[in-house]
Amino acid sequence: MIEFTGVYFDGKTSRAYAVSVVFDGRTLHIRGVEGDYPALDIPLEDCTITPPLGNTMRSIQLPGGAQCQTSDTAAVSALERLTGQNRGMGFVHRLENRWKTAVGALAGLVLCVWVFVTYGIPFLAEKIAYSVPPELAEQMSRQAIEMLDRRFLKPSELDPGKTEKLQEEFQHLHSEIDPDSDYRLEFRKSPYIGPNAFALPSGLIIMTDELVDLADSNRELLAILAHETAHVKKRHGLRSIIQNSGVFLLVSALAGDITSITSTAASLPTLLARSGYSRKFETEADTVAALYMIRKGWGTGPFQAILLRITRDMADYPGESLLSSHPLTNQRVQHLRDIEASMPSGEAAE
Ligand SMILES: [Zn+2]
């Protein structure tokens, strides 16, 4: 005996009647739960069991357009087996469930890829960047600067007397911000990229004559140098090219072939000359520079001033600038102001 409860529709009105159904092996006995209606006895062979559709309610078509619906899928499946109806539909039903599984799996896969690209690759790139030996960083940087010297840069025409004091101040700056690495500051003239500065992974920082000429004070230049030092310290150059070079390089580097990273050295000059750092890295470097300036008691004013002046000046140069290609200068200046405003009063005077 098969018993289940369900809902009965007479096929004439939309009214639903709660019913209990008993199958005695030959006939379905359908009885209203809340009254005398309906009271039907229908041979199973006169009924049509509608094929299953996903895991929704099952329905049994009765003679005269009436039907009985139930969520008791097991009971209906048992009836199906007795009548032999919908044979083969079980396969379709399973396929349908597999289709859902497949969509679910695909969504899961997309999510995994997204998580890997958004978090996994930057995380791995950072790990790899910190394990790049100094000789390798040096070699990549040398290749990059040779290429930049050929294409965009000319020897500096600055009076060495003019930069002597700046060199001295830069020594203090990088030994404070990043005492563990070697740094070098060199100057180049560049009518192409204009007032600009960039850092190579080896710790070589290039500043253009045009930027020195544009500055009102060494403090403005020191702010830029602090920003560039932060890029080196946090391995932003290496991390960017590793992140951009994709999974192949990541895999070979993780497998122990760290030298494969030199294959990406060709992308370094472009990264540096086109301001290829992510917004996140720029903000990080700005924060380091701002904190340095505040610690020195200079405030972020000189940094803001030079950023705004570079942006204004850049229209005169054909190349894209590391520091000014962004229409984001206003946001960067606001970030500097926010950092300063968040400092407890008195800190800036230290
Ligand atoms: Zn930067």
Side-chain angles (χ1 to χ4, degrees), residues 197 227-228 231 236 275 277-278 281-283 285-286 322-323 326 332:
H227 173 100
E228 295 305 325
H231 278 321
H236 288 162
S275 182
Y277 291 123
S278 68
F281 288 171
E282 290 301 344
T283 305
D286 280 351
L322 181 70
L323 287 159
H326 340 94
R332 294 179 68 186

Side-chain angles (χ1 to χ4, degrees), residues 1-4 21-25 27-28 44 72 74-80 82:
M1 200 150 71
I2 297 168
E3 294 182 38
F4 58 94
V21 182
V22 176
F23 177 67
D24 60 9
T27 306
L28 285 175
L44 185 59
D72 191 340
V76 178
S77 296
L79 289 178
E80 248 171 349
L82 288 172

Side-chain angles (χ1 to χ4, degrees), residues 28 42-51 58-69 85:
L28 285 175
I42 303 167
L44 185 59
E45 63 259 31
D46 294 344
C47 304
T48 308
I49 299 171
T50 309
R58 297 299 308 270
S59 86
I60 301 165
Q61 304 296 324
L62 309 172
Q67 61 167 297
C68 187
Q69 290 186 356
Q85 283 187 35

Side-chain angles (χ1 to χ4, degrees), residues 101-113:
T101 311
V103 169
L106 186 65
L109 182 68
V110 168
L111 182 69
C112 284
V113 169

